Structure formats: structure tokens, C-alpha cells
């Protein structure tokens, strides 16, 4: 007999005797599609204040977190100064003093792979063909490739002047422009914006890599029949993010690989970068990362970055705004030359539309042209650094038209060439280069570039286990005491560096409650616990009846999944009853004190936007969930009927995700049960060869930067030791496969066994889908929370 069948039989007896309780709701309590039952007096729990808030408290929670994050985002420029220790006594002293900032910038950008050295780019020539793609006034155009990372090449064009080059430049088009467009041998870019051609006409050697574009042609897995409308840039970003990498970082590596060659060419010439749109971002970031670049020109990009959460997700960088806006990144270029061109930027209203063939899994995000007053404001912040270095003239703003003109104006090119030490005017543009029609197919080249980055990322995913093993080398499992001591660092790292840690709550611990259920065996209360202005924890407490005076009972914290509510775990007929089977109410019928928190993963893209705003602040959804649970535990431990040493956690789906992240870090949880979520998580989040991989779904909020190099689910679970940990897994649960789950759990079982704790961890497989099973898990709770007779269904 299943647990559900057993409790249905138990319920029949109560109903027949007329004793079955009736759930009750006060004004403002949500009924969520169930007929509102007879109302009770909304009396509070003893020792608490009355809860008077009305409406949907879950939605209000999400809105409050949003306001908190916007406030922190707007305040970030002023708070960044604490992370910089500049020494303006000399140029050399300044460069040395900001080197720690530069290294952090490179790390969060994902510049963690060693580039491949090479002697010269390779020409792309068909058998019997010519290496020259086109010829222009004073230069020739060749198709080239150069190695960057293992299995990753850059491909594009080389513009070779007829004489000795006066400078060497990496020119970067926008992501939707091909290199051919920037030379004029393919349509798509106005002649006056073809700045790569203009640089070559003025005697520069120019290299142009192809960038990953914003189309979605290859985003998805055709063998699985799962295609997405994610742009190619987003698709690579979502695979790479948990591996500590980015589309941005990969392309900066391509730029710097070109710089590796250009900087060693003879005769020596200054090296610069110039880019527009996405290429402008890469020019700015590359020059900040590498001091060999003597000048940078950034067109159609530079502006305040506090709105980054509204831009496409492939621009999102973990912790960026804590330390860097565009002005601070410009400060990493100082005292070298930076030319900012205020020009018409890239305008994108969102990802490609979904179709019958392609699912709507892309992340919302827009690009709009920088406004000239915003550009001036950010330039003003950067100017201070250049002036303190006596290099005020090395930061120059060029306005194309009224700030909405074409990129690559003569004034911008002239300022850029001056920054490279060249003098004189800019030559007038020559005729359009003659195309010899022997170049590579840009579409095939784009496909190769996309495939290389996808395959490189997949290799890093499959090689990540030994990387994590090395990261964990200082954890000592020789005894329980040494394990606890040696894993303090890993707990702090997981919380602070992976999930993001908020400051301590600023509001007093002042619970507000109201009665909403009156059942035969227990009474239910809504609970609101303030943390900060606008941010609170909310949930439902089920207090058993017939408790003896002074008796303290164990607590089970029962956590809902995606788009769930505490009521779903309690009410008959609730929307999620087929997942949860009212397991919270059943546990209360067993005599446990039960608490059902509301977690903020509710409201579709409204809650997912929280991740977008939070990540650049080095925060995540779980930053808030951890603080909410911390406050909940603070309050539960004050209740006179709670045994603070016997508080367990049991969560399904997203609640299972919580079970893997929260109890390991909050040691007042005596045990944790992860249901319907435990996984080989790094494979799930970063691969695209199984139907349940998140790269193929809309759940873009799952990303956790650099997780794959530091923590998998077994590592999180092992942080529970010596506390008990259990996994509940339905054979038909589509969140993963049995083999992936078993593979990852075997590492947990080994760890507990090796520490002599094998009886404190279990996995229960059952015939069923994504649901609470509640057989082995109920026995686990009874045993390790030391409550009542052993549970025997």
C-alpha cells in the first residue's frame, strides 16, 4: 500500500465520524481556484503580532525582492570605490595598483583557459585558388584562421597593406555583421561605417574575427527534435556559464590570440582594437584585460551599465556591477588611449520569434541605442581617473552626428590613430574593394565557429569532475571533526562565491501570524517574517494539537516546487495536489510540527528577472532563499513547542533544489531530503544531449556561475555530513534519468560510508513520476528526528 492510499483510508474514518476539519481562510488569504471555506477568526499564534497584509503574499514577495535589487543596482556605482585602491603617483604605480581588479575582471569574464601559441595565421585557400579574397586601395584582403584554445580557432579576414603597416589593429564588427560587410565586399553595412576598410586604407594591418551571431539556426539538438529560439550567443552562454565561461570570454580570447601574434610581428608597431556594438563591448573588455593594447575605440556601446539586466543574457556577468561599470573598465585601460564614439547602437527588441519548430526557450532581453546624455555621464565618471593620471587627453568622446550617426566616423578613426601614435589626417575613402569571389562561405564559417565553442564547452563539462576533485583537495574526511573544520571554507565559498550572500537582516524578528486552518489534529497559521524593507519571509505553520505542557516536538520544513505555494502542500483540491499529495498535512497528522515556506520562484518571467538583476550584484534567487530560511529558523527556534535540535527539511522539485543548497549551509537543519531533483547537475545544466537539459528549456534562472568547477550535487550533499541526507527518485520522473541520479548519488553514499556514516544516507527509487512518494522518506523523518513509533506503511 502506498502512503497516499494509507492516508485515504485513515481519512475515511475521520470523515465518517464527522470530525474531519475544514480549512479556513480570512479576508486576503488566497484560495487558488478552490471554493473559499467558512472563515475563522484570524487570531494570531500566541506571542506574535496579527498579520493584516492582504492579497497575494507570494507575488508581493517577488515584487519586494525586485525593488530591493533595483535599489542595490542603482546604488552600485557609488559603492564600487571601496573595491579599488588606485595609486596615482605614477603611471606604472597605477597600473600595478589596479592589477588585482584586472585579474578579477578577467576571471568573471571567463578568461581561464590557456591560449595556444602560434607563429602566424593560416590562409584559407581552396585547392588551386588564390589566397586573396579582394583588393582595395592600398591593401589586399585574405581569409585567415588562427588557433585560440584547444579545438577552437578564430576565423575571419586579414587586411594587409601594400607597404609596412603603420599600426596593427583587431577590428570587431557587431555580432550580426560579417567581416566581409565591414570591408565592403558584402552588403549590409553603409560605406561610411566600414571602419575596417578605412583603417586598412590608412596603412593599418587589420585582423577581423567572425563573432557568434544572434540567429538561432543551430540552437538546439536536431536528434532529440528539440530546437530553441535562443540566439547562438545565448545558447553558448547558457552552456558555458556554469563552467565559469562566457560567449564574451571566448571572443575576448580570440581577440587576445590575435594580439599575441600582432605584438610579436616585426617591425614592431602599436596594437589597437576597434569595435562596434557587440564588437565595441569586446574592444572595451579586451583592452581592459591586456595592457599590450595601446589604444581602443568603442563605438555604439559605452554607457552606464546598471540596466544590464534588461539586455540579452549573453551580456550578463556574475558580480560585474559590484566592481565594474563601463567607466571602471575604462579605468583599467588608463592611461592608455580610449576613444568612445557615441553612435547609433544596435537595436534589438528581443530574441528570434518562436515557431512551430522552435520552442520559446530564449531569455527576454533588448538592446537599444545609447543616449548621448548617458554616454556623457559615464565618460564623466571615467574622466576623473584619466585626469588624475595626467592623461586627460587619452580619453576622448567623439559624437557621430547627434550621437545617432554611423559608427566609424572620420573623427573617431583620427582620434584612434592618434592614440596609436600616428599623426596627420585621415585619407579620403577609396573605392569599394574588388571582390574576387574566392572567400569562404560566411554561413558555413559561422556554423564552424558555433560548433567549436559548443564542443569545447562540452569537453570542459565532461572533464569537470577531476577539476572539482582538485578544488576539494583540502577537505579532510578522516574523521567527523576534521570534516567539519576543513569544510568551513567550502561552505563559505559555496554561499559567498557561487550563490551570493546577503547582509544580515536589518528588521527585528517580529512574526506576524493569522489562523487559516482548523483541522482535527492541527491548527494552521500564515506567518510573515520581515528581513529588510520590502523583503520578507512567508509561510504556513501547522501546529499539532493535544500537546502536553512543555512538550517540544520535531519540525519538518516542507518545500514546494516551481510556481508552487505552501497551500499546495496542505489543501485538498489544491492545484499541485497531484505532485505533493498533501504531504505537509500528512506529516502534521503524524504529530510533527510542520512549516511550509513560500520560496520566490513563482510568477514566470517576473521571478526569473530577479536572477537577471541579481547576478551582476553577485546575488541569486538562493541568496534570498537562504536568508529567508535563516530567518525562519530563527523564529521556529523561539517557539515553545519546537525542539530546535530536530528540524528537518523535505522538498520536491525546486524544493529539492533547495534541499541541496540550503540545509548544507544552515546547520540548524538536522537532515535534508531531496525529492525529484537530485542529479548529475553539471551535466543537466551544461549539456544539450538529453531532453531534460536546461539549455533546451525556458528555465534560464538555473544558471550558477562557475558551479561546474567547484560543486556538483554530491559535493553539496556531502556538506550535510554527518547530518542525514536522503534522495527520493521516481523512475518515471522526467527531470533526469535513473542512471544520472544513481551515478551522482553513489558519490554521496561512498563519502558517508568512508566516514562510517553509511546508515545516515539513503536513496529510494519508486515506480512513479515527479511526485512525493512519502514512504521511505517518512520512515527517514521518523527515525532521524526521533519521533514516535517507526513508520511502517
Amino acid at each position: 500500500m502506498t502512503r497516499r492510499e494509507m492516508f485515504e483510508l485513515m481519512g475515511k474514518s475521520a470523515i465518517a465520524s464527522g470530525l474531519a476539519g475544514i480549512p479556513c481562510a480570512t479576508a486576503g488569504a488566497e484560495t487558488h481556484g478552490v471554493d473559499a471555506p467558512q472563515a475563522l477568526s484570524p487570531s494570531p499564534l500566541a506571542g506574535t503580532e496579527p498579520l493584516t497584509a492582504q492579497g497575494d503574499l507570494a507575488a508581493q514577495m517577488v515584487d519586494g525582492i525586485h525593488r530591493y535589487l533595483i535599489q542595490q543596482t542603482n546604488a552600485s556605482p557609488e559603492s564600487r570605490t571601496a573595491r579599488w585602491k588606485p595609486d596615482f603617483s605614477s603611471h606604472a604605480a597605477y597600473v600595478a595598483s589596479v592589477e588585482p581588479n584586472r585579474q578579477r575582471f578577467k576571471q568573471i569574464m571567463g578568461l581561464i583557459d590557456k591560449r595556444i601559441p602560434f607563429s602566424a595565421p593560416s590562409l584559407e585557400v581552396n585547392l588551386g585558388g588564390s589566397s586573396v579574397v579582394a583588393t582595395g586601395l592600398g591593401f589586399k584582403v585574405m581569409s585567415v584562421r588562427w588557433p585560440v584554445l584547444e579545438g577552437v580557432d578564430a576565423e575571419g579576414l586579414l587586411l594587409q597593406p601594400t607597404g609596412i603597416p603603420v599600426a596593427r589593429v583587431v577590428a570587431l564588427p557587431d555580432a550580426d555583421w560579417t567581416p566581409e560587410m565591414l570591408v565592403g565586399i558584402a552588403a549590409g553595412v553603409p560605406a561610411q561605417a566600414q571602419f575596417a576598410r578605412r583603417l586598412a586604407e590608412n596603412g593599418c594591418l587589420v585582423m577581423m574575427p567572425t563573432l557568434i551571431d544572434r540567429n538561432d539556426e543551430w540552437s538546439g539538438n536536431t536528434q532529440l527534435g528539440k530546437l530553441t529560439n535562443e540566439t547562438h550567443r545565448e545558447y553558448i552562454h547558457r552552456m558555458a556559464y556554469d563552467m565559469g565561461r562566457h560567449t564574451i570570454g571566448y571572443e575576448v580570447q580570440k581577440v587576445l590570440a590575435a594580439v599575441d601574434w600582432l605584438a610579436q610581428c616585426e617591425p614592431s608597431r602599436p596594437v589597437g582594437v576597434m569595435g562596434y556594438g557587440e564588437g565595441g563591448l569586446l574592444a572595451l573588455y579586451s583592452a581592459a584585460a591586456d595592457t599590450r593594447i595601446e589604444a581602443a575605440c568603442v563605438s555604439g556601446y559605452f554607457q552606464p551599465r546598471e540596466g544590464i539586466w534588461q539586455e540579452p543574457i549573453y551580456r550578463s556577468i556574475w558580480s560585474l556591477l559590484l566592481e565594474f561599470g563601463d567607466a571602471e573598465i575604462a579605468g583599467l585601460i588608463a592611461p592608455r588611449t580610449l576613444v568612445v564614439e557615441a553612435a547609433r547602437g544596435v537595436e534589438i527588441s528581443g530574441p528570434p520569434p518562436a515557431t512551430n519548430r522552435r520552442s520559446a526557450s530564449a531569455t527576454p532581453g533588448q538592446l537599444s541605442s545609447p543616449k548621448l546624455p548617458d554616454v556623457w555621464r559615464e565618460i564623466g565618471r571615467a574622466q576623473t581617473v584619466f585626469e588624475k593620471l595626467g592623461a586627460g587627453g587619452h580619453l576622448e568622446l567623439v559624437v557621430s552626428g547627434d550621437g545617432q550617426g554611423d559608427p566609424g566616423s572620420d573623427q573617431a578613426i583620427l582620434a584612434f590613430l592618434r592614440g596609436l601614435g600616428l599623426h596627420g589626417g585621415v585619407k579620403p575613402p577609396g573605392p569599394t574593394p574588388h571582390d574576387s569571389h574566392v572567400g569562404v562561405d560566411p554561413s558555413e564559417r559561422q556554423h564552424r565557429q558555433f560548433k567549436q565553442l559548443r564542443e569545447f564547452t562540452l569537453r570542459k563539462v565532461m572533464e569537470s569532475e577531476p577539476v572539482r576533485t582538485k578544488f576539494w583537495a583540502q577537505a579532510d574526511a578522516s574523521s567527523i571533526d576534521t570534516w567539519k573544520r576543513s569544510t568551513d571554507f567550502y561552505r563559505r565559498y559555496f554561499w559567498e562565491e557561487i550563490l551570493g550572500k546577503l547582509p544580515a537582516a536589518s528588521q527585528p524578528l517580529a512574526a506576524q501570524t493569522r489562523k487559516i486552518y482548523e483541522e482535527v489534529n492541527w491548527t494552521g497559521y500564515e506567518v510573515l517574517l520581515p528581513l529588510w524593507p520590502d523583503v520578507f519571509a512567508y509561510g504556513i505553520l501547522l501546529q499539532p494539537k493535544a500537546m502536553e505542557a512543555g512538550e517540544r516536538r520535531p519540525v519538518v520544513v516542507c518545500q514546494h516546487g516551481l510556481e508552487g505555494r505552501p497551500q499546495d502542500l496542505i489543501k485538498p483540491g489544491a492545484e499541485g495536489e497531484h505532485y505533493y499529495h498533501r504531504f505537509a498535512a500528512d506529516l502534521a497528522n503524524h504529530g510533527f510540527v510542520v512549516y511550509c515556506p513560500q520560496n520566490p520562484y513563482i510568477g514566470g518571467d517576473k521571478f526569473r528577472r530577479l536572477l537577471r538583476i541579481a547576478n551582476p550584484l553577485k546575488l541569486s534567487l538562493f541568496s534570498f532563499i537562504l536568508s529567508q530560511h535563516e530567518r525562519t529558523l530563527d523564529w521556529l527556534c523561539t517557539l515553545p513547542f519546537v525542539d530546535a535540535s530536530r528540524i528537518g527539511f523535505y522538498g520536491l522539485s525546486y524544493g529539492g533544489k533547495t534541499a541541496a543548497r540550503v540545509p548544507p549551509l544552515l546547520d540548524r537543519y538536522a537532515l535534508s531530503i531531496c525529492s525529484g531533483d537530485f542529479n548529475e547537475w553539471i551535466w543537466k545544466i551544461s549539456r544539450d544531449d538529453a531532453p531534460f537539459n536546461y539549455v533546451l528549456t525556458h528555465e534560464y534562472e538555473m544558471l550558477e556561475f562557475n558551479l561546474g568547477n567547484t560543486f556538483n550535487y554530491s559535493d553539496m550533499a556531502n556538506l550535510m555530513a554527518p547530518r542525514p541526507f536522503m534522495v527520493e527518485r521516481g523512475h518515471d520522473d522526467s527531470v533526469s534519468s535513473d542512471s544520472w541520479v544513481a551515478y551522482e548519488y553513489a558519490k554521496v553514499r561512498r563519502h558517508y560510508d568512508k566516514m562510517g556514516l553509511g546508515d545516515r544516507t539513503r536513496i529510494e527509487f519508486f515506480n512513479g513520476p515527479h511526485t512525493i512518494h512519502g514512504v521511505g522518506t517518512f520512515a527517514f523523518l521518523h527515525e532521524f528526528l526521533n519521533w514516535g513509533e517507526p513508520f511502517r506503511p
Side-chain angles (χ1 to χ4, degrees):
M1 180 181 295
T2 67
R3 179 194 62 83
R4 184 71 189 133
E5 293 167 338
M6 177 185 67
F7 280 103
E8 284 176 353
L9 289 175
M10 291 172 60
K12 288 177 182 178
S13 174
I15 293 169
S17 64
L19 297 176
I22 301 175
C24 301
T26 65
E30 292 291 314
T31 59
H32 311 298
V34 180
D35 290 339
Q38 176 183 345
L40 288 181
S41 170
S43 54
L45 181 70
T48 66
E49 297 296 318
L51 174 58
T52 58
Q54 303 296 311
D56 187 341
L57 294 180
Q60 292 172 32
M61 173 189 291
V62 172
D63 290 343
I65 293 172
H66 184 277
R67 289 192 296 273
Y68 177 93
L69 287 170
I70 292 297
Q71 291 168 0
Q72 296 300 309
T73 298
N74 292 339
S76 64
E78 292 184 8
S79 64
R80 287 175 204 148
T81 54
R83 299 175 182 270
W84 293 76
K85 307 296 180 187
D87 180 350
F88 294 108
S89 60
S90 70
H91 287 184
Y94 174 78
V95 171
S97 70
V98 299
E99 187 60 24
N101 304 87
R102 191 187 324 278
Q103 293 304 318
R104 285 193 292 272
F105 181 59
K106 291 165 69 173
Q107 192 265 332
I108 63 175
M109 235 204 305
L111 299 188
I112 60 176
D113 299 297
K114 185 177 180 180
R115 291 191 298 278
I116 295 175
F118 65 102
S119 57
S122 302
L123 296 175
E124 294 288 285
V125 183
N126 292 326
L127 186 63
S130 168
S131 63
V132 178
V133 174
T135 54
L137 183 63
F139 67 94
K140 58 185 178 181
V141 183
M142 294 172 281
S143 289
V144 293
R145 74 166 63 222
W146 59 96
V148 181
L149 308 171
E150 182 183 358
V152 176
D153 298 326
E155 289 189 70
L157 298 180
L158 174 67
L159 280 56
Q160 175 71 56
T162 53
I164 297 175
V166 298
R168 298 185 175 96
V169 176
V170 182
L172 297 157
D174 178 60
D176 288 337
W177 291 1
T178 66
E180 288 78 7
M181 293 178 185
L182 210 52
V183 179
I185 57 177
V189 175
Q192 59 270 25
Q194 295 167 12
F195 57 84
R197 173 165 70 93
R198 300 298 314 285
L199 289 168
E201 290 171 343
N202 281 272
C204 297
L205 181 147
V206 180
M207 292 181 76
M208 275 189 294
T210 298
L211 304 187
I212 300 299
D213 67 20
R214 302 186 187 94
N215 293 322
D216 61 2
E217 184 176 357
W218 301 294
S219 296
N221 187 312
T222 55
Q223 292 180 328
L224 295 174
K226 292 181 75 72
L227 302 179
T228 84
N229 70 326
E230 298 161 30
T231 66
H232 297 143
R233 297 189 72 79
E234 176 176 349
Y235 197 84
I236 296 298
H237 173 91
R238 284 172 65 171
M239 294 183 71
Y241 194 83
D242 277 58
M243 297 310 303
R245 296 167 173 87
H246 291 273
T247 308
I248 289 172
Y250 286 147
E251 292 185 331
V252 169
Q253 291 276 39
K254 292 182 179 184
V255 175
L256 299 186
V259 171
D260 290 342
W261 177 63
L262 296 174
Q264 69 184 11
C265 289
E266 295 293 343
S268 177
R269 290 291 185 267
V271 175
V273 291
M274 181 173 182
Y276 166 70
E278 219 64 39
L281 178 157
L282 296 173
L284 181 68
Y285 284 20
S286 298
D290 197 324
T291 57
R292 296 175 300 173
I293 296 170
E294 296 186 34
C297 182
V298 176
S299 180
Y301 173 77
F302 196 90
Q303 64 179 329
R305 206 47 60 186
E306 286 69 58
I308 192 171
W309 61 275
Q310 297 171 299
E311 299 176 21
I313 196 171
Y314 50 77
R315 287 189 173 184
S316 181
I317 293 181
W318 173 252
S319 79
L320 179 75
L321 294 183
L322 285 187
E323 194 166 352
F324 306 101
D326 284 7
E328 285 78 18
I329 298 171
L332 292 176
I333 298 174
R336 294 168 289 143
T337 295
L338 172 61
V339 178
V340 173
E341 184 180 38
R344 180 186 65 255
V346 179
E347 299 273 352
I348 294 175
S349 61
T355 66
N356 291 335
R357 294 181 63 246
R358 294 188 178 275
S359 64
S361 61
T363 309
Q366 301 177 341
L367 291 177
S368 58
S369 188
K371 295 179 174 59
L372 185 55
D374 292 338
V375 180
W376 272 113
R377 188 166 76 251
E378 196 70 3
I379 283 285
R381 292 204 313 114
Q383 189 71 43
T384 302
V385 171
F386 282 81
E387 289 177 351
K388 286 183 177 180
L389 288 167
H394 290 189
L395 175 62
E396 186 168 348
L397 174 62
V398 173
V399 180
S400 176
D402 58 356
Q404 296 298 309
D406 287 319
S409 63
D410 281 357
Q411 295 94 328
I413 291 175
L414 178 62
F416 178 57
L417 293 176
R418 281 202 306 262
L420 291 171
L422 307 177
H423 301 286
V426 176
K427 295 179 181 178
T432 300
H434 173 68
D435 185 358
S436 60
H437 303 290
V438 297
V440 301
D441 183 326
S443 177
E444 293 178 358
R445 180 180 61 199
Q446 177 70 215
H447 195 191
R448 283 194 300 272
Q449 293 285 282
F450 175 83
K451 284 175 61 179
Q452 284 185 353
L453 292 182
R454 174 187 173 273
E455 290 165 4
F456 178 86
T457 305
L458 286 174
R459 285 198 301 275
K460 294 305 174 183
V461 172
M462 301 312 294
E463 295 167 359
S464 63
E465 191 164 327
V467 176
R468 292 190 298 275
T469 299
K470 182 178 180 181
F471 174 75
W472 280 84
Q474 300 306 310
D476 183 353
S478 60
S479 71
I480 291 174
D481 286 342
T482 59
W483 177 253
K484 287 181 176 180
R485 287 197 302 271
S486 64
T487 55
D488 280 347
F489 161 79
Y490 296 97
R491 288 185 178 85
R492 289 195 305 274
Y493 192 97
F494 187 40
W495 196 337
E496 296 171 7
E497 301 300 325
I498 303 298
L499 302 178
K501 190 170 185 178
L502 287 158
S506 64
Q507 301 294 299
L509 181 58
Q512 304 168 37
T513 68
R514 64 181 164 219
K515 186 187 295 186
I516 58 166
Y517 297 113
E518 191 69 73
E519 292 279 347
V520 173
N521 297 321
W522 46 267
T523 305
Y525 297 88
E526 280 187 298
V527 181
L528 189 147
L529 302 166
L531 281 88
W532 303 278
D534 290 324
V535 181
F536 59 87
Y538 163 68
I540 294 178
L541 175 75
L542 306 184
Q543 180 186 12
K545 296 181 178 179
M547 293 182 66
E548 297 179 4
E551 181 183 5
R552 291 180 178 268
R553 291 197 184 179
V555 181
V556 182
V557 175
C558 298
Q559 190 65 68
H560 62 79
L562 180 66
E563 300 291 348
R565 298 173 182 269
Q567 292 86 348
D568 297 340
L569 285 57
I570 301 167
K571 295 195 310 182
E575 187 173 333
E577 186 176 5
H578 59 294
Y579 295 121
Y580 304 110
H581 305 304
R582 290 183 287 153
F583 79 107
D586 287 347
L587 286 167
N589 285 330
H590 278 241
F592 290 101
V593 177
V594 173
Y595 189 79
C596 304
Q598 176 71 62
N599 275 2
Y601 37 75
I602 186 169
D605 275 333
K606 196 169 187 180
F607 92 78
R608 291 189 168 96
R609 276 197 297 272
L610 299 180
L611 172 100
R612 297 296 319 279
I613 312 171
N615 267 199
L617 296 170
K618 201 177 182 182
L619 297 171
S620 69
L621 280 180
F622 278 98
S623 305
F624 291 92
I625 292 169
L626 274 157
S627 291
Q628 289 169 325
H629 277 257
E630 213 173 19
R631 169 94 344 163
T632 297
L633 289 168
D634 289 342
W635 179 67
L636 288 174
C637 290
T638 69
L639 298 179
F641 50 86
V642 164
D643 183 343
S645 68
R646 292 188 290 164
I647 303 177
F649 186 96
Y650 186 2
L652 172 69
S653 192
Y654 229 124
K657 220 173 304 299
T658 309
R661 288 163 178 77
V662 172
L665 301 180
L666 302 182
D667 57 12
R668 285 180 291 181
Y669 277 120
L671 63 79
S672 182
I673 300 173
C674 178
S675 178
D677 186 72
F678 193 87
N679 226 313
E680 214 298 354
W681 187 257
I682 306 308
W683 293 355
K684 181 176 174 69
I685 197 72
S686 296
R687 284 169 55 172
D688 66 350
D689 54 355
F692 43 76
N693 290 133
Y694 280 128
V695 173
L696 303 172
T697 76
H698 188 55
E699 292 160 296
Y700 55 83
E701 83 283 359
M702 297 296 179
L703 301 178
E704 293 164 309
F705 184 66
N706 203 36
L707 185 72
N709 295 316
T710 52
F711 294 86
N712 207 335
Y713 264 35
S714 59
D715 305 301
M716 301 176 201
N718 289 346
L719 288 177
M720 281 296 297
R723 294 169 291 158
F725 177 79
M726 183 173 179
V727 172
E728 184 176 54
R729 161 72 190 171
H731 289 305
D732 302 319
D733 190 339
S734 61
V735 302
S736 189
S737 67
D738 284 351
S739 59
W740 282 27
V741 174
Y743 173 77
E744 188 65 13
Y745 177 75
K747 292 178 273 186
V748 180
R749 183 55 188 257
R750 172 185 169 82
H751 177 75
Y752 273 73
D753 277 346
K754 289 293 230 178
M755 291 187 66
L757 303 170
D759 63 329
R760 297 190 190 183
T761 186
R762 292 170 199 166
I763 188 168
E764 181 182 48
F765 290 94
F766 64 93
N767 285 318
H770 189 66
T771 183
I772 290 287
H773 184 53
V775 177
T777 52
F778 272 44
F780 195 77
L781 290 167
H782 275 269
E783 178 180 353
F784 288 106
L785 294 181
N786 191 24
W787 176 243
E789 295 295 321
F791 178 73
R792 295 188 180 92

